[in-house]
Amino acid sequence: MSEKEPLIGAGATGGKKPPSRPFKFFVLLVISLICFGPYFAYDSIQNVSVQMKEQIGITDTKFGVLYAVYSFPNMILPFFGGVAGDRLGLRAASMLFVSFVVIGAVLVALAPLKQFGLSDNTIFLGMAIGRTLFGAGAESLNVTQIAMVSEWFREGKEMAMAFALVLSVSRLGDFLALFLGGRIADYFGSFQSTLIAAAGLCILSFLCSALYFAVDKWSERRYYRPKPEPAPFGWENFKCVTRFELRFWLISLLCMTYYAGVMPFVSMLGGWLQNKYGYDQTSAGSLSSVVTLASMVLSPFLGKAVDVVGRRPLVVALGSLLILPAHLALTITGPSFAFTIFPLWPIVAVGLSFSLVPASLWPCVPLVIAEENTATAFGVMTAIQNCGLFLVNIVVNYIREHYGDESAMMFFVCADALGLLGALVLYVVDQRRGGTLCLIKSDELVVPPEITDAMPDYTNPFDDKESKVAH
């Protein structure tokens, strides 16, 4: 069979052609905007905390509760969100979850408005309920969004770049919340303006979900897009998790370990820079935003590089090799040490690593999980990640309180080393199972091994000219 010969005949496609590349990237743009609003809304309260304390009596403890009610349920909910994505279908699941997001964000925005004349305690209760509803939908919506990318780009050679583009747009929402949240409040003279803007962007995400629903449904009639039919709910929906192979669990644990070394670090970075280097709040905030900014800008380009070179576990190892010395340099240098370096450079290295690793890890899942269980797998992976982040945040803050910031930084160095080791273990296991995670994707459709075993003339699109991958 020649390299350009189609792998599936016209009879199997009903005369339909696969979606064109421009159309797929139009769909990707729509998918990318689905979580833009929720990412903005999640951190919309961060830079207006002072005004909230002054105007509605929000204490530090209550402010922490507004984040906790989002995080705690999502140690479990993304798993059920993933199952819903596989069984209801991604279109219906996204509309369900984005509805929770909008209701929660609108409640958070409306509760503090003076026109309602509510007491401070009632306002806090309303905001807490809103953040709970918002969180119940946001993480599951994120799982659904990732599964959408997998569904549209699973068979092509641009899957990692597609994942990275979606991450970049989502992180843009987070960056704008941190950069503009306080400025919006100052311009309009009230923190409620920032919360209203967040609710408005969540409504935009709802409209994008509705647009995706229509476009995806239309494309099924217009183009050849093979995908499994959603199965009815039942015990089998959950039992499939027990059949996920070893590489998936290694990927999930590696994801948890890596994010444990990044997300808590970013959350403490501003205060740490002020304490160690004496920066003011504005300068420290600008430096700490570099991680998100760098990853947002670099992710699409590095994602495309991953598509070209393959070898995803080794790329994850490279990302760990970047972040480990960066954390170490920030730990053992500074004004109180014999040697000082400008902290921007290690922070940029963290941002570079934060671009490489997610662009390599998330696209690994569709390569080792059956398509009908992809959303469930992403849900399990997200739930494991959130469990790790919940526990690590507690541990890191305990270490900071009792042993100081430098000890907390050493915790991140240890997490980085564990991530490097995990990436190498994943590489070894993958090589023993055919090297699927190291392959370079093709534009053509891939026929499963159980079919190609009976086709002696079949040429695997993953194979290069020098070597063939044994099934």
Side-chain angles (χ1 to χ4, degrees), residues 127-139:
M127 294 183 72
I129 293 173
R131 291 282 290 187
T132 302
L133 292 172
F134 170 75
E139 286 293 304

Side-chain angles (χ1 to χ4, degrees), residues 85-421:
D86 282 330
R87 307 313 165 194
L88 293 177
L90 298 178
R91 295 190 299 252
S94 69
M95 294 304 299
L96 172 65
F97 299 138
V98 78
S99 297
F100 276 96
V101 166
V102 170
I103 293 170
V106 169
L107 186 55
V108 170
L110 292 181
L113 292 180
K114 295 178 182 178
Q115 290 87 332
F116 295 108
L118 303 177
S119 66
D120 289 350
N121 287 334
T122 304
I123 290 173
F124 169 71
L125 179 61
M127 294 183 72
I129 293 173
R131 291 282 290 187
T132 302
L133 292 172
F134 170 75
E139 286 293 304
S140 295
L141 181 64
N142 188 49
V143 169
T144 306
Q145 181 195 47
I146 296 171
M148 289 173 180
V149 178
S150 172
E151 182 176 279
W152 276 88
F153 289 85
R154 188 185 192 100
E155 307 294 355
K157 64 180 181 181
E158 296 167 320
M159 184 164 63
M161 185 179 71
F163 274 97
L165 282 167
V166 169
L167 286 172
S168 289
V169 175
S170 296
R171 288 173 184 169
L172 175 62
D174 191 38
F175 174 78
L176 290 178
L178 298 175
F179 187 75
L180 295 178
R183 289 174 170 82
I184 293 173
D186 292 339
Y187 182 81
F188 289 99
S190 69
F191 72 90
Q192 291 93 333
S193 303
T194 302
L195 304 183
I196 291 172
L201 290 176
C202 288
I203 292 173
L204 172 64
S205 292
F206 179 90
L207 296 176
C208 289
S209 292
L211 178 60
Y212 176 82
F213 191 105
V215 170
D216 187 74
K217 194 174 183 65
W218 174 83
S219 71
E220 287 182 344
R221 299 192 300 268
R222 177 69 174 80
Y223 296 112
Y224 174 66
R225 290 183 55 217
K227 60 179 181 178
E229 288 295 322
F233 276 102
W235 174 243
E236 185 63 27
N237 305 146
F238 303 96
K239 193 176 178 181
C240 69
V241 176
T242 63
R243 296 192 294 271
F244 289 169
E245 65 155 287
L246 175 62
R247 284 178 295 180
F248 168 77
W249 298 109
L250 288 174
I251 292 166
S252 298
L253 292 174
L254 187 53
C255 180
M256 179 191 71
T257 303
Y258 178 79
Y259 276 82
V262 176
M263 303 306 292
F265 165 76
V266 172
S267 67
M268 66 170 272
L269 184 56
W272 179 82
L273 288 169
Q274 293 178 62
N275 295 334
K276 184 168 184 175
Y277 291 91
Y279 290 116
D280 59 35
Q281 182 174 344
T282 301
S283 299
S286 298
L287 277 174
S288 60
S289 68
V290 168
V291 175
T292 302
L293 183 62
S295 64
M296 181 182 71
V297 173
L298 295 174
S299 287
F301 303 102
L302 295 176
K304 179 60 178 176
V306 172
D307 283 321
V308 171
V309 304
R311 296 171 177 81
R312 293 161 188 82
L314 294 182
V315 176
V316 175
L318 175 61
S320 298
L321 282 173
L322 282 170
I323 197 173
L324 193 155
H327 279 153
L328 190 60
L330 291 171
T331 304
I332 63 175
T333 66
S336 59
F337 292 85
F339 186 70
T340 301
I341 62 173
F342 185 35
L344 174 64
W345 310 122
I347 291 172
V348 169
V350 174
L352 180 59
S353 172
F354 198 35
S355 305
L356 270 176
V357 174
S360 306
L361 269 181
W362 292 98
C364 286
V365 175
L367 299 178
V368 298
I369 296 294
E371 186 173 2
E372 62 269 20
N373 296 320
T374 300
T376 300
F378 281 126
V380 172
M381 188 171 170
T382 303
I384 291 174
Q385 174 191 313
N386 285 335
C387 286
L389 288 175
F390 178 79
L391 295 174
V392 167
N393 273 304
I394 294 174
V395 171
V396 167
N397 283 291
Y398 178 86
I399 293 174
R400 291 184 69 190
E401 183 177 346
H402 292 85
Y403 301 101
D405 286 346
E406 305 306 328
S407 298
M409 292 295 289
M410 283 304 300
F411 176 90
F412 297 135
V413 173
C414 295
D416 299 336
L418 193 59
L420 175 59
L421 177 62

Side-chain angles (χ1 to χ4, degrees), residues 43-59:
D43 273 327
S44 62
I45 63 174
Q46 188 174 111
N47 285 344
V48 296
S49 59
V50 174
Q51 293 96 318
M52 291 170 64
K53 291 174 185 177
E54 293 173 350
Q55 297 178 28
I56 58 174
I58 294 290
T59 63

